[in-house]
Amino acid sequence: MAKRMRGIIASYGLTMGIVKRWLHEDIPIRTDWLRDEEVAGELKAIDAAFSRYREKLSAKEVTSPLMQSLREAHIELISDPFLIDSVHKRIQEEKMSADRALDTTIRIMAAQLEALEDPYLRERGTDYRDMGRSLLYELKGLPVPRLDHLSSPCILVTEELAPSEATELDKANVLGFTSDRGGATSHTSIIAQTLGIPALVGMKRLSREVNDGDFIILDAENGELIINPDVDTIQEARQKMEVGRAETVRLSLEKAEKAVTADGHVVDVMVNIGGLDDLTVGILAGAEGVGLFRTEMLYMELDHFPTEDEQLAVYRQAAEALQGNVLTIRTLDIGGDKRLPYYAFPREANPFLGWRALRFCFDEEIIFRTQLRAILRASAYGNVRLMLPMVVGLDELARAKRMIEEEKEKLAERGRAFNPSIPVGIMLETPAAVMLAEELAHACDFFSIGTNDLTQYILATDRGNNRVAGLHSPYHPAVIRAIKQGVDAAHRAGISCGMCGGFAGNLRALPLLIGLGVDALSVPASVIPKLKEKIRHITLKEGRRLAKQALGLSATAEIMQAVISQEQDIRQKGES
Ligand code: PEP
Ligand code: MG
């Protein structure tokens, strides 16, 4: 019998296919006690497995920043003398087999870490399990299963997919994926959006409830999953997919046109990128500029802080490829859940409230100033804007601007070209920035609303934690009013207010966002054609009416209902 389940949309799209479960399966372990004469052999086997694994890690080719950071984390863990000693002791003193000693040690150490409050240490627990599994495969001489070796198209059903695993996904064979844990704005979800793979997360126990070979419809347009649907349901979904495909072809023909509402209001549609590859895809999808370049991705790709020239090479190429369209380069937003393999971040009880983004940059001034110079120099080659993340006060903005001016002076002395009036803007992503929006708007050149963090901080809900995913809604009246406050402050000061958080790519929310006055939407490339199409079918007038209504409501569900009702009205009008 067909079973329907609901999940959190991580990446839009409708797809169907055969289930392939990607579980971190238990590997068979020898459980009887060792005889004395076996101990030496087991010690030798475990030492050999450690050194083979270390060699493999060092020789491993890394093709993405996240794979690189995972490798570094594993090298650090495997070199921990406490781990090796504990395994040895279990073999020598407790007479456990090598695989059992390793498995037990890893489980105990991971569980101890995972029980801690500190999210950074909890993450290390996951790293321990990951590394332990790889070591066990090594010890047993078994091949490590890899995601990029899937041989036929499937829907991947996982307990949890690490960002590094998501970057390995082979688009040809992964039609979509689900994960039991995770939130809509986690970095795994952002990678799925960039790859254009439909995904649902927060599926609770799905990976334990389906079997390989089950057939599922993954409807990441409506947040629903259907397990073993009947023929009629499959037929219906297939038709929807065909309509969707025809739409994509039609939209691709119109993608280069500007996005103008039916009553003549122009909305800038831009792309969010993490590097030059994303930019190419974005331009092909019809982006009219880059609203957010997450430069931390560039830092994560390397094994050192990128030099001024290394950064300039990338920023310049992006600026030139955009041929006069805007390139918004956000300064380094590291910390929180993003780390660098070559930098020892301190352990913090609350990393998202800690040493992140500008706070890190102010303390690590040389790193920040190097990036400022690279961005300034890139501004000689195109329409570059500089954007500061995680601003909470005017003093921070003033300090960053002072540093920008000082770096301009240095570049001028060195005879380097740059745009002396490069626009400097801020992400509006903290409640403090919204409350100070009036003053901030007079002190900078543009705003861009980061709804992922803004929602997280206004509602005090971790953006990556599926237990509170139900609360992490940008439709919450407090978030909607904050957006309005930011937009109004920007407009009163005569500057533009865009949006680059995940809410900007929510097609259903589009009329509301336009009605609230958001000037530009910056989204993953895969969303652009549909977003432009939808803009052409709505009016600013309807959007304003909806925004007015939403601003008068005081519950998330009421606002969502208003948005849905208005969508139905528009559809009915289109059909009549
Ligand atoms: C946001 O917070 O909405 C945003 C766009 O920035 P990031 O997702 O990189 O934190
Ligand atoms: Mg943010």
Side-chain angles (χ1 to χ4, degrees):
M1 246 249 308
K3 183 173 174 194
R4 290 172 185 259
M5 290 174 76
R6 300 219 49 95
I8 302 165
I9 298 172
S11 173
Y12 273 91
L14 172 65
T15 186
M16 61 174 87
I18 301 289
V19 168
K20 169 86 185 103
R21 290 192 311 159
W22 176 259
L23 296 184
H24 298 136
E25 297 281 9
D26 292 335
I27 304 165
I29 301 286
R30 177 180 165 188
T31 51
D32 59 333
W33 304 107
L34 294 180
R35 294 188 305 276
D36 286 344
E37 61 273 25
E38 288 179 303
V39 169
E42 293 295 280
L43 286 172
K44 210 167 143 199
I46 194 74
D47 287 347
F50 266 82
S51 66
R52 278 199 309 274
Y53 185 53
R54 203 175 292 117
E55 272 166 31
K56 277 191 186 163
L57 275 178
S58 308
K60 189 173 172 180
E61 189 199 346
V62 287
T63 53
S64 74
L66 288 154
M67 280 170 78
Q68 162 119 356
S69 63
L70 192 74
R71 176 175 78 172
E72 303 299 328
H74 283 195
I75 289 179
E76 191 190 317
L77 295 180
I78 200 175
S79 311
D80 178 0
F82 182 71
L83 169 68
I84 303 165
D85 277 359
S86 305
V87 177
H88 278 184
K89 271 199 190 124
R90 288 202 161 86
I91 297 173
Q92 282 169 314
E93 293 168 19
E94 296 179 38
K95 301 285 186 288
M96 285 188 183
S97 61
D99 55 356
R100 186 170 163 205
L102 175 64
D103 187 54
T104 309
T105 308
I106 295 287
R107 278 177 200 273
I108 292 174
M109 288 171 90
Q112 281 168 349
L113 288 168
E114 283 165 359
L116 298 174
E117 287 282 302
D118 180 342
Y120 173 72
L121 293 178
R122 280 209 307 265
E123 234 176 72
R124 305 306 279 178
T126 314
D127 286 343
Y128 251 104
R129 285 190 201 282
D130 252 15
M131 191 258 319
R133 236 181 343 263
S134 306
L135 257 173
L136 265 179
Y137 279 112
E138 193 58 61
L139 179 67
K140 301 228 155 215
L142 297 169
V144 181
R146 290 190 45 167
L147 272 175
D148 54 358
H149 286 174
L150 294 169
S151 54
S152 56
C154 64
I155 300 210
L156 211 57
V157 173
T158 73
E159 293 168 297
E160 187 165 37
L161 206 58
S164 53
E165 289 177 311
T167 58
E168 271 184 16
L169 293 178
D170 165 10
K171 247 194 103 169
N173 281 328
V174 179
L175 303 171
F177 80 81
T178 70
S179 83
D180 293 354
R181 295 192 276 272
T185 60
S186 71
H187 286 100
T188 298
S189 303
I190 289 170
I191 292 167
Q193 291 159 16
T194 307
L195 293 171
I197 297 178
L200 288 176
V201 297
M203 297 300 301
K204 305 212 169 76
R205 290 185 46 79
L206 179 69
S207 70
R208 304 280 155 191
E209 289 177 15
V210 290
N211 295 308
D212 281 347
D214 277 347
F215 188 85
I216 52 179
I217 297 175
L218 190 159
D219 183 353
E221 277 164 11
N222 294 305
E224 191 180 44
L225 186 116
I226 312 171
I227 307 166
N228 294 327
D230 58 35
V231 178
D232 289 348
T233 314
I234 294 177
Q235 201 48 36
E236 201 182 305
R238 198 160 276 148
Q239 270 165 10
K240 266 204 220 160
M241 281 170 69
E242 265 154 33
V243 170
R245 261 186 228 117
E247 271 291 282
T248 308
V249 173
R250 189 176 62 75
L251 295 181
S252 68
L253 301 174
E254 295 170 4
K255 68 189 182 197
E257 314 267 313
K258 287 281 304 170
V260 185
T261 62
D263 52 353
H265 175 69
V266 178
V267 183
D268 292 329
V269 176
M270 303 203 264
V271 66
N272 290 347
I273 65 169
L276 293 171
D277 290 348
D278 299 347
L279 175 61
T280 312
V281 180
I283 292 174
L284 286 173
E288 294 154 12
V290 170
L292 169 63
F293 183 168
R294 289 184 165 98
T295 57
E296 50 279 4
M297 301 296 173
L298 173 64
Y299 286 66
M300 288 158 92
E301 249 167 52
L302 300 170
D303 59 4
H304 58 277
F305 281 101
T307 63
E308 185 180 319
D309 285 338
E310 278 171 334
Q311 291 183 63
L312 173 63
V314 176
Y315 305 157
R316 174 181 174 170
Q317 215 176 314
E320 287 177 340
L322 282 159
Q323 302 182 341
N325 279 335
V326 77
L327 169 65
T328 312
I329 306 180
R330 179 174 75 181
T331 59
L332 184 62
D333 182 1
I334 206 72
D337 62 344
K338 289 176 271 186
R339 280 160 200 279
L340 298 171
Y342 46 87
Y343 187 91
F345 279 88
R347 289 176 180 169
E348 296 179 289
N350 295 297
F352 269 121
L353 302 179
W355 205 44
R356 181 184 167 187
L358 265 192
R359 300 152 189 202
F360 170 91
C361 287
F362 285 151
D363 289 345
E364 288 287 7
E365 226 181 286
I366 296 174
I367 295 166
F368 189 40
R369 286 181 183 272
T370 305
Q371 182 174 40
L372 293 179
R373 285 194 301 278
I375 299 173
L376 285 167
R377 286 175 64 192
S379 71
Y381 301 97
N383 187 359
V384 175
R385 307 194 297 181
L386 188 151
M387 181 157 75
L388 303 165
M390 284 286 291
V391 171
V392 293
L394 280 149
D395 48 346
E396 286 180 336
L397 174 56
R399 183 170 173 188
K401 283 178 74 173
R402 244 188 342 265
M403 290 164 94
I404 294 168
E405 289 310 310
E406 286 161 6
E407 294 313 313
K408 280 184 190 169
E409 278 168 29
K410 275 189 220 154
L411 289 178
E413 278 164 22
R414 276 162 51 187
R416 300 289 191 190
F418 60 88
N419 171 9
S421 40
I422 180 173
V424 175
I426 63 164
M427 298 273 303
L428 217 57
E429 56 181 347
T430 64
V434 174
M435 290 175 196
L436 297 173
E438 213 68 52
E439 290 104 309
L440 287 167
H442 283 102
C444 73
D445 300 309
F446 63 94
F447 281 169
S448 184
I449 303 177
T451 49
N452 306 335
D453 279 317
L454 187 60
T455 308
Q456 156 166 272
Y457 294 128
I458 288 187
L459 302 178
T461 49
D462 180 344
R463 59 194 268 189
N465 181 346
N466 66 300
R467 283 179 203 272
V468 289
L471 267 178
H472 187 272
S473 170
Y475 287 109
H476 190 288
V479 180
I480 298 298
R481 291 178 203 186
I483 295 171
K484 174 74 173 151
Q485 223 174 303
V487 168
D488 285 354
H491 291 172
R492 274 194 291 273
I495 64 169
S496 72
C497 184
M499 181 179 281
C500 60
F503 203 29
N506 181 329
L507 295 176
R508 179 166 270 172
L510 175 68
L512 174 61
L513 299 181
I514 306 289
L516 287 168
V518 176
D519 301 302
L521 298 166
S522 192
V523 298
S526 55
V527 181
I528 292 175
K530 283 192 197 134
L531 189 65
K532 282 189 153 184
E533 159 85 354
K534 183 146 185 193
I535 291 171
R536 296 184 187 115
H537 283 89
I538 60 168
T539 62
L540 177 61
K541 195 166 156 227
E542 284 159 345
R544 283 191 174 145
R545 194 174 47 76
L546 176 62
K548 192 166 170 223
Q549 186 190 358
L551 289 166
L553 298 171
S554 44
T556 308
E558 289 170 358
I559 296 179
M560 286 186 75
Q561 191 48 50
V563 168
I564 291 167
S565 304
Q566 203 243 15
E567 187 179 54
Q568 282 162 353
D569 283 355
I570 295 177
R571 200 172 294 147
Q572 272 163 11
K573 251 193 269 163
E575 283 163 9
S576 63

